[in-house]
Amino acid sequence: MLTRQVIRKAVEAALEEDAPNGDITCEATIPAQAQGEARLTAREHGVMSGISVFAAAFGAQNPAIEVMPHIADGERFEPGQALAAVRGPVRDLLTAERVALNFTQRMSGIATMTAAFVDAVAQAEALPGYRAPRAYARTRIVDTRKTTPGLRPFEKYAVVCGGGHNHRYGLSDAVMVKDNHVAALAEQGIDLAGAIRHIREQVGHTTHIEVEVDGLDQIPMALDGGADTIMLDNFTLDDTRAGVDMIDGRAIVEASGTMTLERVPAVAATGVDVISVGALTHSVRSIDLGLDWVR
């Protein structure tokens, strides 16, 4: 969860990393008493995420800095739009500038990419043979655990800002039986259905169990074991449709594997409930934001 404590800890660590012994450029060039104001400006279209993190970075550098947001997380912005104003001691403004921008640019990049995938899902309804998902009103775009170490709370929050949803936060949140688990169990003579039933006996009654399958032949075993979600990994469109038919609403259907903006509408049109996209966090491009000096 992206709490104030998590934000504070992260921005303080980033400031310490960037200026462990102070900002020698500012100390050599800027008078200690100088005051100034700057504006956070968008250089391109995007979706905002991390405006509170932006403010926290300046606040951690010097609580006397004022940050005045002009936009909320989840809102879209255009090139040239003023997103926030900051005012305070010039030395501290310049010292915290890069840390504040690094967080906000990356988070907004994730939110922007997520929004593009969510928009792509909406295009599915216009495709011939479109089938609505069973579990939700519209197919969900979700993230994965392919996040930057130490920054998962920020990146998963940014996905939500872009209109997406979070998959499990970490290994402690839900059972997810993947191909390597299945292979290891097979070595012990345990089939997939038996493994799922065994897991069900070991975990609490509220624990969700997801199973990854890489072929249609594994779906009956996953259903027989009582999986709550079945992930169709790297399935063709035809096999995805067949998988949705086989599952027939008895489990949530998730599609995964090399999802692109071009491919997502057709995948969503098969009737899957969820599409997981690792690229939201592992291949994102930071949005171009700048801090423009006002006075």
Side-chain angles (χ1 to χ4, degrees):
M1 296 290 291
L2 190 59
T3 63
R4 290 183 180 179
Q5 183 178 5
V6 168
I7 293 172
R8 180 80 181 189
K9 183 177 180 180
V11 298
E12 287 179 349
L15 289 167
E16 173 65 20
E17 176 185 62
D18 206 27
N21 298 301
D23 181 344
I24 60 175
T25 305
C26 283
E27 291 167 7
T29 59
I30 308 297
Q33 70 277 13
Q35 299 286 309
E37 182 176 341
R39 182 181 296 118
L40 177 65
T41 306
R43 305 276 196 257
E44 58 181 313
H45 293 278
V47 177
M48 173 52 63
S49 180
I51 195 67
S52 62
V53 184
F54 178 82
F58 286 105
Q61 177 63 30
N62 186 338
I65 294 176
E66 294 180 83
V67 180
M68 295 145 282
H70 302 328
I71 191 171
D73 285 343
E75 293 183 1
R76 302 195 180 211
F77 53 78
E78 300 179 354
Q81 184 175 338
L83 307 177
V86 292
R87 183 187 304 125
V90 175
R91 284 187 178 182
D92 292 314
L93 291 177
L94 294 175
T95 297
E97 173 186 1
R98 176 44 51 197
V99 168
L101 286 174
N102 283 351
F103 276 104
T104 312
Q105 286 179 296
R106 180 165 179 81
M107 292 176 69
S108 294
I110 292 170
T112 301
M113 179 181 282
T114 302
F117 273 92
V118 172
D119 290 344
V121 165
Q123 299 170 19
E125 298 177 15
L127 295 179
Y130 167 77
R131 302 191 300 182
R134 303 282 189 92
Y136 307 110
R138 177 178 289 176
T139 301
R140 289 185 170 186
I141 292 294
V142 306
D143 53 27
T144 69
R145 286 171 43 246
K146 297 174 183 176
T147 54
T148 307
L151 294 180
R152 183 169 293 177
F154 298 85
E155 295 180 348
K156 281 187 169 283
Y157 171 78
V159 167
V160 175
C161 291
H165 293 78
N166 294 147
H167 209 294
R168 58 177 179 163
Y169 185 84
L171 295 173
S172 303
D173 294 333
V175 172
M176 187 167 178
V177 182
K178 297 177 68 67
D179 53 354
N180 285 339
H181 297 102
V182 174
L185 290 166
E187 289 294 323
Q188 303 173 52
I190 304 173
D191 66 14
L192 182 56
I196 299 169
R197 285 193 289 267
H198 174 75
I199 291 167
R200 184 72 70 188
E201 291 295 326
Q202 306 304 311
V203 300
H205 70 283
T206 62
T207 301
H208 194 92
I209 299 177
E210 178 167 357
V211 178
E212 175 188 275
V213 299
D214 55 20
L216 292 170
D217 60 312
Q218 294 178 307
I219 292 177
M221 290 184 286
L223 289 170
D224 185 42
D228 299 303
T229 294
I230 298 176
M231 177 198 288
L232 311 181
D233 188 43
N234 285 302
F235 276 41
T236 65
L237 289 175
D238 286 343
D239 281 354
T240 301
R241 277 188 287 270
V244 170
D245 289 340
M246 290 174 67
I247 295 167
D248 195 26
R250 289 175 285 174
I252 293 172
V253 185
E254 176 181 341
S256 181
T258 320
M259 293 297 170
T260 63
L261 285 171
E262 294 73 23
R263 185 167 177 247
V264 158
V267 176
T270 66
V272 297
D273 302 301
V274 174
I275 299 175
S276 53
V277 185
L280 297 181
T281 52
H282 72 58
S283 298
V284 69
R285 179 183 66 82
S286 294
I287 287 292
D288 190 5
L289 306 175
L291 200 64
D292 299 328
W293 207 251
V294 177
R295 61 178 177 83

